[in-house]
Amino acid sequence: MLLYNSQVSGNCYKVRLLFAHLAIEYDRLEMDVVDRSNRREVLGELNPALRVPTLVLDDGRSLGESNAIIFHFAEGTQYLPEDSFERAQVLQWLFYEQYSHEPNIAVARFWALFDVSPPSSADHELKMKAGRAALQAMDAHLTDRPYFVGERYTIADIALYAYTHVAPEGGFELEPYPAIRAWLQRVMGQPGHVPITA
Ligand SMILES: N[C@@H](CCC(=O)N[C@@H](CS)C(=O)NCC(=O)O)C(=O)O
């Protein structure tokens, strides 16, 4: 398989992390996340959103959206529950990640990492406020449980770990969230864990 990848992208890291846990082999093609001028030429036939991660399977089919990719590959493994309610809970957190977490934390991190000016300081403050609210909700949920769903590590944890552990790069302090900090340690201790830089 071929993963259209960005090494700094948390969305791409979700796929790399699950593949590391599952010992799935694949090739990577690195895409620039700042100069996106070749996106249509390279990804036009593969992903209508022209974004990474995009994965081309061995049979030629392609799949975009990080959480769709990890959902597909987690099927039948320990990283996705069999129980239908627990599967729905996993989806709950995958959608949460994409609506309440990533658009705030990942965007603020992107601005900081690549020295991109936010549209305005008010926009920046809104991202920071919403990002902190997302972290607060995660922290409250993790206060009395080790992982997001069903007392075990699933793709819900992988999806949320991706941008949470690098949130300080976007200016988010993790010090106020003790349950998140303990959970980050548990995630890092999982067999086959690899860092975002791997
Ligand atoms: N919802 C998508 C978001 C993907 C995304 O935003 N990818 C970024 C890199 S992290 C990208 O390709 N940005 C370039 C662009 O938006 O044109 C997912 O989860 O895969």
Side-chain angles (χ1 to χ4, degrees):
M1 294 188 294
L2 177 62
L3 177 67
Y4 290 82
N5 179 58
S6 156
Q7 198 63 32
V8 293
S9 156
N11 287 315
C12 295
Y13 175 49
K14 296 171 197 173
V15 178
R16 300 198 306 269
L17 181 53
L18 180 67
F19 282 4
H21 287 310
L22 294 173
I24 290 176
E25 292 188 1
Y26 60 100
D27 294 320
R28 302 179 192 186
L29 197 151
E30 196 67 14
M31 302 287 288
D32 199 316
V33 287
V34 178
D35 174 7
R36 299 182 301 229
S37 54
N38 66 347
R39 287 291 173 108
R40 187 162 299 283
E41 181 191 327
V42 178
L43 295 177
E45 301 292 314
L46 304 174
N47 181 349
L50 304 179
R51 289 186 167 177
V52 293
T54 296
L55 184 73
V56 181
L57 281 63
D58 285 337
D59 64 10
R61 290 180 297 173
S62 57
L63 192 58
E65 294 296 325
S66 56
N67 289 349
I69 296 170
I70 61 174
F71 188 86
H72 177 68
F73 283 91
E75 190 71 66
T77 77
Q78 67 190 94
Y79 302 106
L80 183 63
E82 281 179 17
D83 175 77
S84 76
F85 187 74
E86 286 187 350
R87 290 164 75 88
Q89 288 179 309
V90 167
L91 289 175
Q92 173 186 345
W93 287 107
L94 297 186
F95 292 129
Y96 176 84
E97 189 268 341
Q98 284 285 290
Y99 189 79
S100 302
H101 185 286
E102 191 259 17
N104 302 306
I105 294 175
V107 171
R109 172 177 175 258
F110 176 79
W111 288 338
L113 273 187
F114 293 99
D115 208 15
V116 173
S117 299
S120 69
S121 56
D123 280 305
H124 186 256
E125 190 37 48
L126 277 176
K127 291 286 179 204
M128 298 306 288
K129 195 173 163 198
R132 287 192 293 267
L135 294 170
Q136 186 57 55
M138 288 170 63
D139 196 66
H141 185 74
L142 288 169
T143 298
D144 54 1
R145 48 175 71 78
Y147 298 105
F148 277 88
V149 177
E151 307 279 315
R152 65 188 165 103
Y153 179 68
T154 68
I155 53 169
D157 301 286
I158 291 176
L160 283 160
Y161 178 80
Y163 283 108
T164 302
H165 84 293
V166 291
E169 295 175 3
F172 297 93
E173 287 179 20
L174 294 180
E175 211 280 327
Y177 312 110
I180 288 182
R181 286 189 282 110
W183 165 78
L184 292 177
Q185 294 302 315
R186 286 192 286 274
V187 171
M188 280 189 277
Q190 291 296 315
H193 181 87
V194 289
I196 193 168
T197 48

